[in-house]
Amino acid sequence: MDQSTRAQNPAGEASTPIRALPRRLGTFTGMAVVVGIIIGSGIFRVPPSIAQSSGSVAGMALVWIFGGVITLFGALSTAELAAMFPHSGGPYVYLREAYGRPLAFLFGWIWLITTALAWAAQSLVFVEYLGTFVPIGPAATHWIAAGLIVLFAAAHYRSVRLGALFQNVSTAAKIIAIVGLAVAIFALAPHAAGTTTVAASSSSLKWTGIGVGLVTVLWAYDGWENLTTLAGEMRRPQRTLPLALVGGTLIVIAIYLIINAAYLRALPFNVLAGSQAVAVDAAVTVLGSAGAAAAGALVMVSVLGSLNGSIMSDPRVFYAMSEDRLFFQAVGKVHPRFETPYVAIIFTCAIAVVYVLFRDFIQLARAYVLGIWPFLALSVIGLFILRRKRPDAERPYRVIGYPIVPGLFVLGTFAVIGYSLYEKPAETGISLALTLFGVPLYFGWLAWQKYVEKRTLR
C-alpha cells in the first residue's frame, strides 16, 4: 500500500486519507542511518560480555564474525523486499504482504516494546560514559538518560532535515574517530600484549557460550532494518535502499572487526572481559589520561548518532500501522507545518522514558534481540513466499545468492534464538510469551474497531 493511498479499515474499505511523508532523504543519509544506528552503544559495551561468554580470543572472534555474516545476509535479503515495497513501515509492510495483517500486527506490537527498549539502552550508555567526565549518581543516571531521549524526540518532532543532517555528520565523525583510535592502538600498544592474550586464552574456548554471545552481538549489529522503515521518505528508493543497506552493513562489519582487534591489542583478555568501559580502558593504555577523555567523547558521539537514527526511523512503523487502521489513527497524524509523524514520535518517547527509569543496559539489550530478530527472520521467509505468490512482481533488486543467502540468514537467526532458549529458558521464554500476547491483542483490537464503527453509525 502506498502512503498516498487511503487507510483501510478491518473490512478492507477505504477510510480517512493519510497524509504522506515527503521523500527528502538520499543515498548518503540512508547509509548514514544504517552505519549510524548499528555503530552505537554496542561496540563500546558488549565486547566484555562476549569475551566472558566465549572464553577466548578465538571464541570472541567467532562470535563477531558469525554475527556479521548473519547480519550481512539479512541486509542482502531485506534489500529485495525494501525495493519491492518502498513504503514507510519496513518489516511491518513485508510481513503484511507475505502473511497478512495478523502477523504484521504482532510485529508492530513487539516493535512498540523493543524500540523503546533500544532508545533506553542507548541513552543509558551515553550517560555511563558521561560519568567519565563528571560524577553522576545512580539515580541521576536514569533521569539524565530520560532527558536525552526527550531532547532528541523534540528535535525530530520539529524537522526531518535537521535529524538527517545530524545523522550524516555524527556518522562520518564516528567512523573517522573509531578508525583513528584503532590505528593509534596498533601503532602504540605494546607488541607483547596481543601475543600473550591469544596464547593465554586460546585453550579456553567455550562452545556453550558462543550461542549466548551471539544473542548479545546481534544487539551490536542490529539497526540495518531501521532504514527500511524510512523507505517512504527515500528519494529513488528502488536504488537507494539496496545500496544503503548492503553498503552500510559492510562498512559496519569491517569497523567492528578492526576495533575489536584493537581492543585485544591493547588489553589482556582477562582485563578486557572484566572491563566496564572497554574503549576507555583500551585508549588509556596507549594515550594515558588523554585517551580516557578521547574515548569517552567518541562513545558519546557514537551513541548520540545511534539514538538520533533510531528516533528518526522507529516511529514510522506506528505511522504505517495507523494507515492500516491497526493502531490509533491519531498516531498516524503528520504535522501540518513540520511534515513529521509527530504523534508517533511523542508516543514512543513516552514509553522509552518509562523503560529507562526502571531497567539496566544488559536487560534491555537481550530483550530487544529476542523480541525483534524472529520477525526479521520471518520477513526473509516472506521473501520466499512472495517469490512464489508474485513471480511477476517488479523486483528492482534481487538478492545475491538466492536461495542460499536468505536461507542461511533464517537458519542462523533461529539457531541463535533456539540456543538462547536452551541456555536461558526463562529469559527467552518471557520474550516469546510477550510476543504471543499480541495475538489476543490483535483480536481485541478488531473487536474494538467494530464496536467504534457501530457507535459511529448510530
Side-chain angles (χ1 to χ4, degrees), residues 62-209:
L62 285 174
V63 169
W64 284 101
I65 292 170
F66 287 165
V69 171
I70 292 172
T71 302
L72 177 60
F73 285 179
L76 285 166
S77 303
T78 304
E80 177 173 324
L81 295 167
M84 276 186 76
F85 306 107
H87 317 309
S88 293
Y92 167 81
V93 175
Y94 316 147
L95 292 167
R96 183 193 66 200
E97 296 298 322
Y99 303 96
R101 291 159 58 87
L103 190 59
F105 179 90
L106 280 183
F107 170 79
W109 155 246
I110 208 66
W111 187 265
L112 173 64
I113 298 170
T114 55
T115 55
L117 287 173
W119 295 15
Q122 290 161 350
S123 63
L124 282 172
V125 171
F126 175 88
V127 180
E128 285 179 8
Y129 276 86
L130 180 62
T132 64
F133 294 92
V134 294
I136 300 175
T141 294
H142 290 266
W143 285 108
I144 294 172
L148 186 67
I149 292 172
V150 173
L151 177 64
F152 273 82
H156 282 277
Y157 176 106
R158 176 63 177 78
S159 173
V160 172
R161 285 196 177 100
L162 177 62
L165 176 62
F166 184 85
Q167 193 66 30
N168 294 343
V169 172
S170 64
T171 298
K174 80 171 69 177
I175 290 174
I176 293 170
I178 291 173
V179 173
L181 175 61
V183 170
I185 290 174
F186 279 112
L188 302 174
H191 292 284
T195 305
T196 303
T197 300
V198 175
S201 60
S202 60
S203 61
S204 305
L205 179 67
K206 298 177 183 177
W207 287 104
T208 57

Side-chain angles (χ1 to χ4, degrees), residues 206-446:
K206 298 177 183 177
W207 287 104
T208 57
I210 298 296
V212 175
L214 279 169
V215 175
T216 306
V217 87
L218 290 182
W219 157 264
Y221 274 116
D222 185 77
W224 47 272
E225 74 279 3
N226 282 59
L227 175 62
T228 65
T229 70
L230 289 165
E233 295 163 78
M234 298 290 293
R235 297 191 297 269
R236 296 184 296 169
Q238 289 85 356
R239 178 179 180 274
T240 58
L241 284 167
L243 281 175
L245 278 168
V246 178
T249 302
L250 287 171
I251 291 172
V252 170
I253 293 171
I255 291 176
Y256 274 7
L257 294 178
I258 290 169
I259 194 61
N260 270 284
Y263 290 157
L264 290 167
R265 175 77 167 185
L267 301 172
F269 185 82
N270 62 327
V271 174
L272 186 153
S275 175
Q276 296 299 311
V278 64
V280 172
D281 292 342
V284 166
T285 63
V286 297
L287 300 174
S289 59
L298 164 60
V299 174
M300 291 166 65
V301 170
S302 181
V303 172
L304 285 182
S306 184
L307 179 62
N308 179 77
S310 297
I311 294 176
M312 181 180 181
S313 57
D314 289 339
R316 271 60 179 178
V317 171
F318 310 127
Y319 168 88
M321 292 180 70
S322 177
E323 185 181 46
D324 281 351
R325 299 286 301 275
L326 286 178
F327 206 54
F328 301 105
Q329 280 196 290
V331 177
K333 288 183 178 179
V334 177
H335 197 284
R337 178 183 174 189
F338 305 138
E339 296 184 299
T340 59
Y342 68 107
V343 178
I345 293 171
I346 294 171
F347 177 77
T348 316
C349 173
I351 298 174
V353 167
V354 172
Y355 280 138
V356 83
L357 294 177
F358 297 104
R359 301 293 293 274
D360 66 28
F361 173 81
I362 292 298
Q363 289 174 324
L364 292 167
R366 286 177 178 161
Y368 181 91
V369 169
L370 295 173
I372 208 67
W373 277 71
F375 286 100
L376 299 182
L378 288 172
S379 295
V380 174
I381 293 174
L383 187 152
F384 292 93
I385 295 172
L386 290 168
R387 286 258 186 137
R388 188 184 70 252
K389 288 172 57 177
R390 306 183 190 180
D392 299 326
E394 182 182 358
R395 290 177 170 82
Y397 166 85
R398 289 177 176 265
V399 59
I400 299 170
Y402 180 89
I404 295 174
V405 165
L408 288 176
F409 171 74
V410 172
L411 290 175
T413 301
F414 282 130
V416 170
I417 295 168
Y419 195 82
S420 176
L421 182 62
Y422 173 76
E423 286 291 328
K424 297 182 178 292
E427 184 176 324
T428 309
I430 290 172
S431 293
L432 295 177
L434 189 60
T435 300
L436 293 176
F437 184 69
V439 175
L441 283 180
Y442 172 74
F443 291 105
W445 177 263
L446 293 185

Side-chain angles (χ1 to χ4, degrees), residues 6-29:
R6 291 176 177 267
Q8 301 293 316
N9 63 23
E13 299 171 352
S15 183
T16 308
I18 298 290
R19 182 177 177 182
L21 297 170
R23 294 188 180 273
R24 292 173 170 167
L25 307 177
T27 305
F28 187 84
T29 297

